Amino acid sequence: MMELANRLFFRLYQCANMLHKTGSRAVEAEGLTTQQWAVLGALSRDEAEAGMGIGELARYLMVSRQNLAGLISRMARDGHLSIASDARDRRSRIVTMTETGRHVWQVRAQPKIRAYYKEVLADFSINDTTHTLHYLLKILENMKRLDHEHLEDHDEGPTEQFPLNARKRPRA
C-alpha cells in the first residue's frame, strides 16, 4: 500500500507541476499565469460578483495571504483587478475584477482554457472525469482535515513548501 500511495502522490505532484507549466503556456499570450487564471476564475463566479475579501479569496484558493497579496498587487497593476477598502471593515480589502480583467477572462482566456481542457482530457470519458474529480475531492478533504488538525495541535501557521499552495490558518 505504501508503494502505491507514494506513486499516487508523486503523480499528483507531477500533475501540479505540469498544470502550472502547460496551463501557463496556454494563457501566456494573454499575460496570465495559472495562478492569475485561478484568481480570475474565483472572482468570475456569480457568488463573487461583488468581490471577495483577500482572506476569503486566500481560503478559497487554499493559498497564503502573503503569496496572494503580491499576486493581487501585480494583477491590479496590470488592470485586471481592483482593490478597495471594505465598507463594513476599513481594515479589510475587497478584490474585484475590472472590466479589463473581465474582458481578458471571458473573451481572450476562456477559449484558450476550454481548448486546454479539451486537449488534456481528450481520452477521458465523462465517467472518467467524474470519477477523477470525486477521488481528488476525497483526497483534498482529507488533506484539509489533516491541515486543520495540525494547526490545532501545534497552534501555528502553515509551513510554506510550495508557493500558492500553503494555507493561512483561519482566524477564530
Side-chain angles (χ1 to χ4, degrees), residues 74-93:
R74 287 188 299 281
M75 292 178 75
R77 179 200 66 212
D78 294 343
H80 297 130
L81 302 179
S82 175
I83 306 166
S85 294
D86 186 342
R88 296 168 298 188
D89 180 356
R90 289 281 175 206
R91 297 170 299 164
S92 297
R93 297 180 303 155

PDB file of all heavy atoms in Angstrom, residues 74-93:
ATOM      1  N   ARG A  74       0.148  42.688  -8.434  1.00  0.00           N
ATOM      2  CA  ARG A  74       0.583  42.662  -9.839  1.00  0.00           C
ATOM      3  C   ARG A  74      -0.619  42.692 -10.781  1.00  0.00           C
ATOM      4  O   ARG A  74      -0.602  43.376 -11.806  1.00  0.00           O
ATOM      5  CB  ARG A  74       1.452  41.432 -10.109  1.00  0.00           C
ATOM      6  CG  ARG A  74       2.840  41.530  -9.492  1.00  0.00           C
ATOM      7  CD  ARG A  74       3.755  40.397  -9.927  1.00  0.00           C
ATOM      8  NE  ARG A  74       3.297  39.063  -9.559  1.00  0.00           N
ATOM      9  CZ  ARG A  74       3.428  38.523  -8.348  1.00  0.00           C
ATOM     10  NH1 ARG A  74       4.021  39.209  -7.374  1.00  0.00           N
ATOM     11  NH2 ARG A  74       3.001  37.310  -8.099  1.00  0.00           N
ATOM     12  N   MET A  75      -1.650  41.947 -10.438  1.00  0.00           N
ATOM     13  CA  MET A  75      -2.836  41.910 -11.294  1.00  0.00           C
ATOM     14  C   MET A  75      -3.570  43.247 -11.295  1.00  0.00           C
ATOM     15  O   MET A  75      -4.140  43.649 -12.315  1.00  0.00           O
ATOM     16  CB  MET A  75      -3.766  40.766 -10.866  1.00  0.00           C
ATOM     17  CG  MET A  75      -3.160  39.392 -11.138  1.00  0.00           C
ATOM     18  SD  MET A  75      -4.219  38.034 -10.596  1.00  0.00           S
ATOM     19  CE  MET A  75      -5.464  38.076 -11.905  1.00  0.00           C
ATOM     20  N   ALA A  76      -3.547  43.953 -10.160  1.00  0.00           N
ATOM     21  CA  ALA A  76      -4.144  45.298 -10.099  1.00  0.00           C
ATOM     22  C   ALA A  76      -3.309  46.258 -10.947  1.00  0.00           C
ATOM     23  O   ALA A  76      -3.858  47.071 -11.701  1.00  0.00           O
ATOM     24  CB  ALA A  76      -4.236  45.777  -8.659  1.00  0.00           C
ATOM     25  N   ARG A  77      -1.998  46.145 -10.850  1.00  0.00           N
ATOM     26  CA  ARG A  77      -1.101  46.975 -11.663  1.00  0.00           C
ATOM     27  C   ARG A  77      -1.362  46.763 -13.152  1.00  0.00           C
ATOM     28  O   ARG A  77      -1.340  47.695 -13.947  1.00  0.00           O
ATOM     29  CB  ARG A  77       0.355  46.646 -11.332  1.00  0.00           C
ATOM     30  CG  ARG A  77       1.386  47.424 -12.140  1.00  0.00           C
ATOM     31  CD  ARG A  77       2.743  46.765 -12.146  1.00  0.00           C
ATOM     32  NE  ARG A  77       2.641  45.487 -12.858  1.00  0.00           N
ATOM     33  CZ  ARG A  77       3.342  44.413 -12.594  1.00  0.00           C
ATOM     34  NH1 ARG A  77       4.218  44.403 -11.615  1.00  0.00           N
ATOM     35  NH2 ARG A  77       3.190  43.299 -13.292  1.00  0.00           N
ATOM     36  N   ASP A  78      -1.647  45.509 -13.542  1.00  0.00           N
ATOM     37  CA  ASP A  78      -1.910  45.178 -14.942  1.00  0.00           C
ATOM     38  C   ASP A  78      -3.330  45.535 -15.376  1.00  0.00           C
ATOM     39  O   ASP A  78      -3.685  45.354 -16.548  1.00  0.00           O
ATOM     40  CB  ASP A  78      -1.662  43.689 -15.195  1.00  0.00           C
ATOM     41  CG  ASP A  78      -0.198  43.302 -15.044  1.00  0.00           C
ATOM     42  OD1 ASP A  78       0.673  44.203 -15.070  1.00  0.00           O
ATOM     43  OD2 ASP A  78       0.074  42.088 -14.886  1.00  0.00           O
ATOM     44  N   GLY A  79      -4.153  46.018 -14.427  1.00  0.00           N
ATOM     45  CA  GLY A  79      -5.507  46.451 -14.764  1.00  0.00           C
ATOM     46  C   GLY A  79      -6.565  45.375 -14.724  1.00  0.00           C
ATOM     47  O   GLY A  79      -7.712  45.618 -15.098  1.00  0.00           O
ATOM     48  N   HIS A  80      -6.225  44.173 -14.240  1.00  0.00           N
ATOM     49  CA  HIS A  80      -7.193  43.078 -14.195  1.00  0.00           C
ATOM     50  C   HIS A  80      -8.074  43.111 -12.950  1.00  0.00           C
ATOM     51  O   HIS A  80      -9.203  42.611 -12.982  1.00  0.00           O
ATOM     52  CB  HIS A  80      -6.475  41.725 -14.251  1.00  0.00           C
ATOM     53  CG  HIS A  80      -5.727  41.513 -15.521  1.00  0.00           C
ATOM     54  ND1 HIS A  80      -4.417  41.099 -15.537  1.00  0.00           N
ATOM     55  CD2 HIS A  80      -6.074  41.675 -16.814  1.00  0.00           C
ATOM     56  CE1 HIS A  80      -4.006  41.005 -16.789  1.00  0.00           C
ATOM     57  NE2 HIS A  80      -4.990  41.355 -17.578  1.00  0.00           N
ATOM     58  N   LEU A  81      -7.556  43.668 -11.872  1.00  0.00           N
ATOM     59  CA  LEU A  81      -8.274  43.670 -10.597  1.00  0.00           C
ATOM     60  C   LEU A  81      -8.326  45.069 -10.018  1.00  0.00           C
ATOM     61  O   LEU A  81      -7.474  45.902 -10.306  1.00  0.00           O
ATOM     62  CB  LEU A  81      -7.582  42.758  -9.574  1.00  0.00           C
ATOM     63  CG  LEU A  81      -7.390  41.299  -9.926  1.00  0.00           C
ATOM     64  CD1 LEU A  81      -6.671  40.575  -8.793  1.00  0.00           C
ATOM     65  CD2 LEU A  81      -8.712  40.626 -10.236  1.00  0.00           C
ATOM     66  N   SER A  82      -9.307  45.252  -9.155  1.00  0.00           N
ATOM     67  CA  SER A  82      -9.428  46.486  -8.383  1.00  0.00           C
ATOM     68  C   SER A  82      -9.436  46.104  -6.910  1.00  0.00           C
ATOM     69  O   SER A  82     -10.057  45.109  -6.530  1.00  0.00           O
ATOM     70  CB  SER A  82     -10.737  47.191  -8.769  1.00  0.00           C
ATOM     71  OG  SER A  82     -10.925  48.317  -7.969  1.00  0.00           O
ATOM     72  N   ILE A  83      -8.750  46.889  -6.106  1.00  0.00           N
ATOM     73  CA  ILE A  83      -8.693  46.628  -4.666  1.00  0.00           C
ATOM     74  C   ILE A  83      -9.253  47.852  -3.958  1.00  0.00           C
ATOM     75  O   ILE A  83      -8.812  48.970  -4.216  1.00  0.00           O
ATOM     76  CB  ILE A  83      -7.244  46.383  -4.197  1.00  0.00           C
ATOM     77  CG1 ILE A  83      -6.593  45.279  -5.026  1.00  0.00           C
ATOM     78  CG2 ILE A  83      -7.208  46.043  -2.712  1.00  0.00           C
ATOM     79  CD1 ILE A  83      -5.086  45.198  -4.870  1.00  0.00           C
ATOM     80  N   ALA A  84     -10.230  47.627  -3.096  1.00  0.00           N
ATOM     81  CA  ALA A  84     -10.862  48.739  -2.375  1.00  0.00           C
ATOM     82  C   ALA A  84     -11.071  48.338  -0.925  1.00  0.00           C
ATOM     83  O   ALA A  84     -11.128  47.156  -0.584  1.00  0.00           O
ATOM     84  CB  ALA A  84     -12.197  49.091  -3.020  1.00  0.00           C
ATOM     85  N   SER A  85     -11.190  49.331  -0.066  1.00  0.00           N
ATOM     86  CA  SER A  85     -11.493  49.065   1.341  1.00  0.00           C
ATOM     87  C   SER A  85     -12.913  48.543   1.457  1.00  0.00           C
ATOM     88  O   SER A  85     -13.813  48.977   0.742  1.00  0.00           O
ATOM     89  CB  SER A  85     -11.356  50.342   2.165  1.00  0.00           C
ATOM     90  OG  SER A  85     -10.022  50.754   2.192  1.00  0.00           O
ATOM     91  N   ASP A  86     -13.091  47.621   2.370  1.00  0.00           N
ATOM     92  CA  ASP A  86     -14.408  47.067   2.650  1.00  0.00           C
ATOM     93  C   ASP A  86     -15.205  48.110   3.419  1.00  0.00           C
ATOM     94  O   ASP A  86     -14.725  48.626   4.440  1.00  0.00           O
ATOM     95  CB  ASP A  86     -14.250  45.788   3.472  1.00  0.00           C
ATOM     96  CG  ASP A  86     -15.548  45.040   3.701  1.00  0.00           C
ATOM     97  OD1 ASP A  86     -16.629  45.631   3.536  1.00  0.00           O
ATOM     98  OD2 ASP A  86     -15.466  43.847   4.046  1.00  0.00           O
ATOM     99  N   ALA A  87     -16.404  48.432   2.951  1.00  0.00           N
ATOM    100  CA  ALA A  87     -17.240  49.440   3.608  1.00  0.00           C
ATOM    101  C   ALA A  87     -17.598  49.036   5.036  1.00  0.00           C
ATOM    102  O   ALA A  87     -17.789  49.896   5.894  1.00  0.00           O
ATOM    103  CB  ALA A  87     -18.513  49.680   2.788  1.00  0.00           C
ATOM    104  N   ARG A  88     -17.667  47.732   5.309  1.00  0.00           N
ATOM    105  CA  ARG A  88     -18.027  47.249   6.644  1.00  0.00           C
ATOM    106  C   ARG A  88     -16.840  47.206   7.597  1.00  0.00           C
ATOM    107  O   ARG A  88     -17.017  47.229   8.803  1.00  0.00           O
ATOM    108  CB  ARG A  88     -18.656  45.860   6.558  1.00  0.00           C
ATOM    109  CG  ARG A  88     -19.972  45.856   5.793  1.00  0.00           C
ATOM    110  CD  ARG A  88     -20.392  44.457   5.492  1.00  0.00           C
ATOM    111  NE  ARG A  88     -19.349  43.877   4.637  1.00  0.00           N
ATOM    112  CZ  ARG A  88     -19.413  42.724   4.032  1.00  0.00           C
ATOM    113  NH1 ARG A  88     -20.457  41.965   4.198  1.00  0.00           N
ATOM    114  NH2 ARG A  88     -18.442  42.282   3.264  1.00  0.00           N
ATOM    115  N   ASP A  89     -15.634  47.082   7.039  1.00  0.00           N
ATOM    116  CA  ASP A  89     -14.424  46.989   7.865  1.00  0.00           C
ATOM    117  C   ASP A  89     -13.279  47.612   7.080  1.00  0.00           C
ATOM    118  O   ASP A  89     -12.718  46.980   6.196  1.00  0.00           O
ATOM    119  CB  ASP A  89     -14.128  45.515   8.189  1.00  0.00           C
ATOM    120  CG  ASP A  89     -12.883  45.339   9.060  1.00  0.00           C
ATOM    121  OD1 ASP A  89     -12.196  46.344   9.363  1.00  0.00           O
ATOM    122  OD2 ASP A  89     -12.588  44.184   9.422  1.00  0.00           O
ATOM    123  N   ARG A  90     -12.936  48.833   7.394  1.00  0.00           N
ATOM    124  CA  ARG A  90     -11.932  49.590   6.639  1.00  0.00           C
ATOM    125  C   ARG A  90     -10.555  48.926   6.629  1.00  0.00           C
ATOM    126  O   ARG A  90      -9.737  49.198   5.775  1.00  0.00           O
ATOM    127  CB  ARG A  90     -11.808  51.021   7.190  1.00  0.00           C
ATOM    128  CG  ARG A  90     -13.004  51.879   6.891  1.00  0.00           C
ATOM    129  CD  ARG A  90     -12.897  52.354   5.478  1.00  0.00           C
ATOM    130  NE  ARG A  90     -14.097  53.090   5.099  1.00  0.00           N
ATOM    131  CZ  ARG A  90     -14.510  53.195   3.876  1.00  0.00           C
ATOM    132  NH1 ARG A  90     -13.857  52.623   2.900  1.00  0.00           N
ATOM    133  NH2 ARG A  90     -15.600  53.877   3.596  1.00  0.00           N
ATOM    134  N   ARG A  91     -10.297  48.020   7.580  1.00  0.00           N
ATOM    135  CA  ARG A  91      -9.014  47.312   7.602  1.00  0.00           C
ATOM    136  C   ARG A  91      -8.959  46.231   6.533  1.00  0.00           C
ATOM    137  O   ARG A  91      -7.882  45.833   6.111  1.00  0.00           O
ATOM    138  CB  ARG A  91      -8.760  46.687   8.976  1.00  0.00           C
ATOM    139  CG  ARG A  91      -8.634  47.714  10.090  1.00  0.00           C
ATOM    140  CD  ARG A  91      -8.633  47.028  11.423  1.00  0.00           C
ATOM    141  NE  ARG A  91      -9.920  46.312  11.580  1.00  0.00           N
ATOM    142  CZ  ARG A  91     -10.177  45.375  12.459  1.00  0.00           C
ATOM    143  NH1 ARG A  91      -9.267  45.000  13.308  1.00  0.00           N
ATOM    144  NH2 ARG A  91     -11.352  44.807  12.520  1.00  0.00           N
ATOM    145  N   SER A  92     -10.106  45.751   6.119  1.00  0.00           N
ATOM    146  CA  SER A  92     -10.182  44.690   5.108  1.00  0.00           C
ATOM    147  C   SER A  92     -10.239  45.297   3.712  1.00  0.00           C
ATOM    148  O   SER A  92     -10.722  46.406   3.521  1.00  0.00           O
ATOM    149  CB  SER A  92     -11.429  43.834   5.325  1.00  0.00           C
ATOM    150  OG  SER A  92     -11.361  43.187   6.564  1.00  0.00           O
ATOM    151  N   ARG A  93      -9.734  44.518   2.754  1.00  0.00           N
ATOM    152  CA  ARG A  93      -9.771  44.968   1.367  1.00  0.00           C
ATOM    153  C   ARG A  93     -10.565  43.974   0.529  1.00  0.00           C
ATOM    154  O   ARG A  93     -10.455  42.764   0.722  1.00  0.00           O
ATOM    155  CB  ARG A  93      -8.354  45.129   0.828  1.00  0.00           C
ATOM    156  CG  ARG A  93      -7.593  46.198   1.603  1.00  0.00           C
ATOM    157  CD  ARG A  93      -6.189  46.416   1.117  1.00  0.00           C
ATOM    158  NE  ARG A  93      -5.421  45.182   1.166  1.00  0.00           N
ATOM    159  CZ  ARG A  93      -4.363  44.917   0.411  1.00  0.00           C
ATOM    160  NH1 ARG A  93      -3.926  45.799  -0.437  1.00  0.00           N
ATOM    161  NH2 ARG A  93      -3.719  43.786   0.510  1.00  0.00           N
TER     162      ARG A  93
END
